[in-house]
């Protein structure tokens, strides 16, 4: 019964968006529970700084190896292959998984040995002891981008067949894995247990989509010839390249913010990440959900050269996203301290931690509607197979963010 539910097709765009929004709400609720447990266990202090800083290199790896492009680049090409020949579409997925796995293993090995040098760049303000723990967590979490990268490739198939139950469940299981890490692994291994929870969450994220992939008949083949490029893989790389650069800029921006935060008071990195996770709740529930639900339809409309249908779908998404995110932003600004205290105020998370996180949340909340619309509009560009315009826009946004962070940090 559960497997049939995961393989159930959702064809109505509003039903798909509602499902994704509900799953997003549950995932975000689990994310808030995760952050509450982290904040209650460690407080906004150096241990959480170490944990969030250790995420940065594995996240950057994910971006470099396709996760940054993910289904946005793969889905339109996969749909073309599927319309022409199911066997060719399956071969495309097999080649992508094979080449990604090979590249990820090579990069992970290199990062494992280069981690001490890289952490000097990412956390220049950390002590040697703190940096050593950050290096350990980074090395443990190198498995995470491999698992999430393969899961991201599978998500193109899942979304193309409109199996949104499976797609929606994946991030829920990811958060469950991290929560298990906090509850079970941290008492055993300390802060290093958090990295174990991340690996468990990534494994569950992949596992839930493997079930659907298997039932659809798209389990990848790892034959020797699958490690060779073909025209389809070449197109994915070509389309992905600007997207990878664009998301890389976002990650580089965050790396700079982490580096700046490492030289500030202990807990600065934790405060930024905790506030950002709360800020992203309405974006994930409304902006990302509608973008994911509408993306396959916009992609098909472009393939069929139906411009009227394309802009109709886009208009519905913009209208709905604004309807929900503008009031959310107002609530975040007005009730910032209450929201932070209700979400995170437990255990070692003090009132001073609450005040600082609330101030960061208020600053971020100004851009909630813009962030949600950005997810939707970027999907529109990807449906048109135009990934360069978002790149140039992101370059400007990254420069403003980095310049502002450096300026304000020096003003303190």
């Amino acid at each position: 019964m559960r497997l049939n539910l995961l393989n159930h097709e959702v064809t109505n765009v509003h039903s798909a968006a509602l499902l994704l929004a509900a799953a997003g709400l549950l995932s975000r609720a689990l994310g808030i529970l995760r952050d509450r447990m982290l904040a209650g266990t460690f407080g906004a202090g150096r241990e959480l700084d170490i944990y969030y800083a250790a995420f940065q290199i594995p996240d950057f790896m994910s971006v470099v190896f396709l996760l940054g492009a993910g289904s946005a680049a793969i889905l339109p090409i996969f749909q073309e292959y599927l319309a022409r020949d199911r066997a060719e579409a399956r071969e495309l997925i097999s080649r992508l998984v094979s080449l990604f796995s090979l590249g990820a293993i090579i990069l992970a090995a290199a990062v494992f040995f280069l981690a001490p040098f890289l952490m000097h760049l990412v956390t220049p303000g950390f002590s040697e002891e703190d940096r050593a723990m950050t290096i350990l967590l980074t090395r443990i979490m190198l498995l995470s981008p491999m698992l999430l990268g393969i899961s991201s490739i599978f998500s193109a198939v899942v979304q193309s067949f409109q199996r949104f139950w499976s797609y929606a469940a994946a991030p829920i299981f990811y958060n469950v894995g991290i929560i298990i890490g906090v509850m079970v692994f941290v008492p055993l291994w300390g802060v290093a247990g958090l990295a174990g929870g991340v690996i468990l969450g990534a494994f569950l994220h992949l596992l839930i989509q493997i079930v659907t992939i298997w039932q659809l008949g798209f389990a990848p083949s790892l034959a020797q010839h699958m490690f060779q490029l073909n025209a389809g893989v070449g197109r994915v790389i070509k389309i992905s390249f600007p997207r990878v650069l664009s998301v890389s800029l976002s990650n580089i921006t965050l790396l700079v913010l982490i580096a700046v935060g490492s030289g500030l008071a202990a807990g600065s990195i934790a405060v930024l990440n905790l506030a950002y996770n709360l800020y992203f709740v309405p974006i994930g529930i409304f902006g990302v959900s509608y973008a994911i639900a509408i993306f396959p339809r916009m992609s098909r409309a472009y393939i069929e050269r139906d411009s009227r249908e394309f802009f109709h779908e886009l208009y519905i998404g913009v209208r709905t996203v604004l309807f929900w995110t503008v009031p959310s932003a107002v609530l975040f600004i007005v009730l910032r301290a209450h929201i932070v205290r209700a979400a995170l105020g437990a255990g070692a998370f003090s009132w001073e931690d609450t005040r600082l996180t609330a101030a960061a949340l208020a600053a971020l909340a100004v851009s909630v509607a813009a962030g949600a619309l950005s997810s939707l509009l970027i999907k529109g560009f990807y449906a048109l197979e135009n990934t360069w315009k978002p790149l140039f826009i992101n370059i400007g946004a990254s420069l403003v963010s980095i310049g502002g962070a450096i300026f304000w940090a020096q003003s303190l």
Side-chain angles (χ1 to χ4, degrees), residues 32-53:
I32 292 173
L33 174 61
R34 174 203 66 205
D35 286 351
R36 183 181 180 87
M37 294 172 68
L38 289 171
T41 302
F42 299 104
R46 187 57 88 192
E47 288 178 304
L48 270 192
D49 286 350
I50 290 170
Y51 169 63
Y52 287 122

Side-chain angles (χ1 to χ4, degrees), residues 54-273:
F55 256 113
Q56 303 314 309
I57 299 301
D59 271 0
F60 193 78
M61 285 176 56
S62 300
V63 171
V64 172
F65 277 92
L66 199 60
L67 186 57
S71 60
I74 299 170
L75 189 145
I77 298 172
F78 175 77
Q79 286 187 329
E80 286 186 28
Y81 274 63
L82 187 62
R84 185 168 65 239
D85 188 307
R86 187 182 179 93
E88 288 187 18
R90 182 174 181 270
E91 181 179 332
L92 173 67
I93 296 301
S94 296
R95 288 181 185 273
L96 287 170
V97 171
S98 300
L99 290 168
F100 170 85
S101 301
L102 178 62
I105 290 171
I106 294 172
L107 182 62
V111 171
F112 185 90
F113 291 106
L114 292 174
F117 169 74
L118 295 173
M119 282 303 109
H120 273 284
L121 299 177
V122 176
T123 57
F126 277 11
S127 67
E128 289 301 321
E129 182 181 356
D130 293 339
R131 192 176 295 117
M133 180 56 69
T134 308
I135 292 169
L136 174 62
L137 266 63
T138 296
R139 285 172 167 168
I140 295 173
M141 289 193 284
L142 287 176
L143 184 59
S144 173
M146 301 183 200
L147 299 173
L148 293 176
I150 296 173
S151 185
S152 179
I153 295 172
F154 287 164
S155 73
V157 180
V158 171
Q159 290 181 71
S160 186
F161 283 94
Q162 297 180 314
R163 300 309 200 265
F164 290 114
W165 282 98
S166 176
Y167 182 86
I172 294 173
F173 279 84
Y174 178 73
N175 278 322
V176 168
I178 299 177
I179 289 172
I180 291 174
V182 178
M183 295 176 62
V184 179
F185 300 155
V186 168
L188 295 174
W189 306 320
V191 70
L194 296 177
V198 171
I199 299 303
L200 176 60
F203 173 75
L204 295 175
H205 191 287
L206 172 61
L207 181 64
I208 199 68
Q209 298 207 87
I210 285 178
V211 173
T212 302
I213 289 291
W214 192 276
Q215 290 184 333
L216 290 171
F218 278 87
S221 168
L222 298 179
Q224 184 176 355
H225 70 280
M226 292 301 174
F227 290 91
Q228 300 172 359
L229 290 171
N230 68 353
V233 175
R235 286 182 62 196
V236 170
I237 294 173
K238 181 180 178 181
I239 294 174
S240 298
F241 184 68
R243 169 60 174 162
V244 169
L245 288 179
S246 179
V247 182
S248 295
L249 286 170
S250 299
N251 278 66
I252 291 172
T253 301
L254 187 55
L255 284 170
V256 173
L257 295 179
I258 295 295
V260 171
S262 71
L264 300 176
S268 298
I269 297 173
V271 164
L272 172 63
N273 280 272

Side-chain angles (χ1 to χ4, degrees), residues 13 289-299 313-314 316-317 376:
V13 65
S289 296
Y290 257 90
I292 293 170
I294 292 175
F295 180 51
R297 292 172 174 266
M298 291 192 296
S299 179
E313 297 290 350
L314 185 62
I316 290 175
L376 182 64

Side-chain angles (χ1 to χ4, degrees), residues 331-343:
L331 286 174
F332 270 22
I333 294 172
V334 175
L335 302 176
R336 56 191 181 275
H338 300 79
I339 291 172
V340 171
R341 198 63 190 165

